[in-house]
Amino acid sequence: MKQEKLNTKIRQKQIINVCLEIISERGLDALNVAEIASRLGLATSALYRHYNDKAQMISTILQIIRKSVKTDFDTVESQGRDAFEKLEMILGFDLDKLNERRAFQMIIFSDSVREHKYSKLHEIRSMVSEFSALLIKIFDEGQRSGIFRKDISSNVLEHMFVNLFLANTSMYIIEGEEFEINEYQTKAWSAFKEMISS
C-alpha cells in the first residue's frame, strides 16, 4: 500500500522521532537511512527530500533537544516556588522525556562525535554550557536564600546534580526495562536533597 503523502513539517518530525528512537535504543552509530526509511514505510530517496544526510538529521535532533530543555527551564522559572522545587521539576522533565535525553547522552558519548565524524562537538559543548549555566543559576539562588549549604560551590553542586540523571539514563541503557528508573530517581533525589540542604 502506498504511503500517504504528508506535509513537510509532519514528515520531518516523523523522521526525527524515528532517529531519536534508534539512537536511544542502540546509539548514534546504529543510525542509518535504510532503517529510518523502513520504519516509516518510505523509500530511502524520500528521506533525502527532507534531510541532506545523517549529519543534518543529528543537527536537527540537537536543535530540538536544546529547545526542549530551554522550554523546561522556562517552565521551571515560571512555576517553581523555590530552588529545591525547581530542581525536582527538572528531574521530572527528564523522566518524561527519557527517550530524548537518552538519545542526547548517546550522541555525546558516541565514538563518531568524539572522532569528529559529524563535527558536532562545538554545538554539543555550547548546549552543555548553556544548560550548566541555567542549573548554576538555580544553585546560586538556593545558596542566596539559605536553603542550600554554602560550603560547596554552585559549580560542584551542578556537576553532582547532572550526575543524577546521567546515572538514570546510563542504567536504563544498560539494564533496560528491568531498571526501576522512577524508584531509583526518587531515592537518589531524596539523598541528594538531604546532602545539600543547609
Side-chain angles (χ1 to χ4, degrees), residues 40-58:
L40 289 168
L42 296 172
T44 304
S45 59
L47 294 185
Y48 292 113
R49 286 199 291 271
H50 301 282
Y51 295 100
N52 297 330
D53 52 24
K54 279 169 55 173
Q56 190 181 19
M57 291 177 194
I58 295 163

Side-chain angles (χ1 to χ4, degrees), residues 80-157:
R81 289 189 292 272
D82 66 19
F84 270 130
E85 186 172 86
K86 289 175 182 179
L87 294 175
E88 193 165 8
M89 286 174 71
I90 289 165
L91 282 176
F93 288 135
D94 266 1
L95 279 183
D96 293 341
K97 299 176 181 179
L98 188 62
N99 214 33
E100 181 184 289
R101 302 301 201 253
R102 190 170 57 191
F104 183 55
Q105 193 167 334
M106 292 285 222
I107 292 169
I108 290 173
F109 297 121
S110 77
D111 290 336
S112 297
V113 167
R114 283 199 306 277
E115 293 163 4
H116 305 276
K117 184 176 177 183
Y118 295 112
S119 304
K120 302 297 172 198
L121 276 177
H122 177 73
E123 196 172 350
I124 290 167
R125 284 180 183 140
S126 170
M127 288 172 69
V128 170
S129 294
E130 184 181 322
F131 303 157
S132 293
L134 292 167
L135 281 172
I136 287 169
K137 184 179 167 191
I138 295 172
F139 282 109
D140 284 339
E141 175 193 325
Q143 288 179 323
R144 279 194 311 273
S145 68
I147 61 172
F148 293 171
R149 55 192 291 180
K150 296 179 181 178
D151 59 329
I152 305 175
S153 75
S154 55
N155 285 37
V156 172
L157 291 173

Side-chain angles (χ1 to χ4, degrees), residues 4-20:
E4 186 184 341
K5 243 187 165 178
L6 296 174
N7 76 45
T8 300
K9 283 191 175 180
I10 293 172
R11 181 64 76 205
Q12 286 175 339
K13 187 173 181 182
Q14 287 180 338
I15 292 167
I16 292 304
N17 285 339
V18 168
C19 290
L20 283 167

Side-chain angles (χ1 to χ4, degrees), residues 1 21 29 61 67 75 93 116 143:
M1 190 171 102
E21 285 172 14
D29 293 333
I61 289 168
K67 186 176 178 182
T75 301
F93 288 135
H116 305 276
Q143 288 179 323

Side-chain angles (χ1 to χ4, degrees), residues 173-190:
I173 289 164
I174 294 164
E175 296 185 15
E177 298 295 331
E178 292 174 23
F179 179 59
E180 298 289 342
I181 192 163
N182 287 295
E183 182 184 346
Y184 170 82
Q185 183 155 295
T186 300
K187 289 177 179 176
W189 166 245
S190 178

